[in-house]
Amino acid sequence: LTAGLIALAGPIVRLLYGAGFETAVLPLQILAWNIPPAFVGSVFWRVLAARNRQDSILWVRIITLLTRLGGGYLLIWKWGIIGAAICAPANLLINALLLGLYIQREGIHLKLFQLGWRFTLAALAMGAVTWVLRDHLSIWLLVPLAGAIYLLLIVLLKGFEADDIALFHRVLRPSAEEKS
């Protein structure tokens, strides 16, 4: 989503708001960086919550609230809307990093890179192709094309393991026993 939003920020702004709103493209591209740390952070806090470590989650929330307020004030004062756009993903990154530190302190070892590099590579390649084609194709064609490119690359890079595929089959086609 991040790569696609960065690549298509210009066409999206033109589609939704028309000409004259080009100054919104860069803030939208910066805000697209909210997505990865938000997803990672939500996994991390769920891991901590499952370990009954709500106290750690609370401390991270307090720290990130303070950094959001202080950092937001400084960044917005210095750079206006660009500062506001930078503040959001920066704060989500701080949140994810602090939650990750608490997870490490708990002795939990998550293999994010080992699990996610194929998906990241597919997203980057999809974003690059979309970036190149953004001025040549309609956004209505680009969005489904970007999705198809991403899915094709996931298949080619073998992003899903046999267990994942078996789970998809069980969910999509439940057996006769599961139906009753």
Side-chain angles (χ1 to χ4, degrees):
L1 291 172
T2 299
L5 192 53
I6 289 169
L8 294 176
I12 289 169
V13 167
R14 282 190 297 278
L15 173 71
L16 295 176
Y17 302 105
F21 286 89
E22 288 78 20
T23 57
V25 172
L26 180 58
L28 180 57
Q29 289 173 321
I30 295 168
L31 287 170
W33 286 101
N34 278 333
I35 299 167
F39 277 96
V40 171
S42 64
V43 169
F44 285 178
W45 79 257
R46 283 176 174 83
V47 168
L48 288 168
R51 292 277 181 122
N52 202 27
R53 293 308 315 257
Q54 287 83 355
D55 59 326
S56 301
I57 297 167
L58 177 62
W59 279 113
V60 169
R61 298 286 183 198
I62 291 169
I63 292 167
T64 54
L65 174 65
L66 295 174
T67 60
R68 184 180 317 145
L69 292 173
Y73 177 79
L74 291 173
L75 289 169
I76 293 167
W77 174 72
K78 181 74 174 165
W79 294 304
I81 192 160
I82 299 299
I86 291 169
C87 183
N91 209 302
L92 285 169
L93 181 60
I94 291 168
N95 180 64
L97 290 173
L98 290 173
L99 290 170
L101 288 174
Y102 276 105
I103 285 173
Q104 280 185 331
R105 189 181 289 174
E106 286 289 310
I108 302 166
H109 300 287
L110 299 176
K111 300 176 181 176
L112 291 179
F113 181 76
Q114 293 90 335
L115 295 172
W117 73 267
R118 290 176 179 92
F119 296 94
T120 302
L121 182 61
L124 291 172
M126 176 274 300
V129 170
T130 306
W131 184 277
V132 169
L133 296 175
R134 70 184 179 172
D135 294 327
H136 304 288
L137 297 175
S138 160
I139 192 169
W140 298 107
L141 183 58
L142 276 172
V143 170
L145 179 63
I149 290 169
Y150 179 74
L151 290 175
L152 176 64
L153 289 170
I154 290 298
V155 170
L156 292 175
L157 292 169
K158 298 181 178 150
F160 294 109
E161 297 184 13
D163 292 344
D164 300 323
I165 295 169
L167 176 64
F168 293 146
H169 283 300
R170 281 196 308 273
V171 169
L172 295 175
R173 290 187 232 144
S175 66
E177 298 168 1
E178 293 171 339
K179 289 180 183 177
S180 31

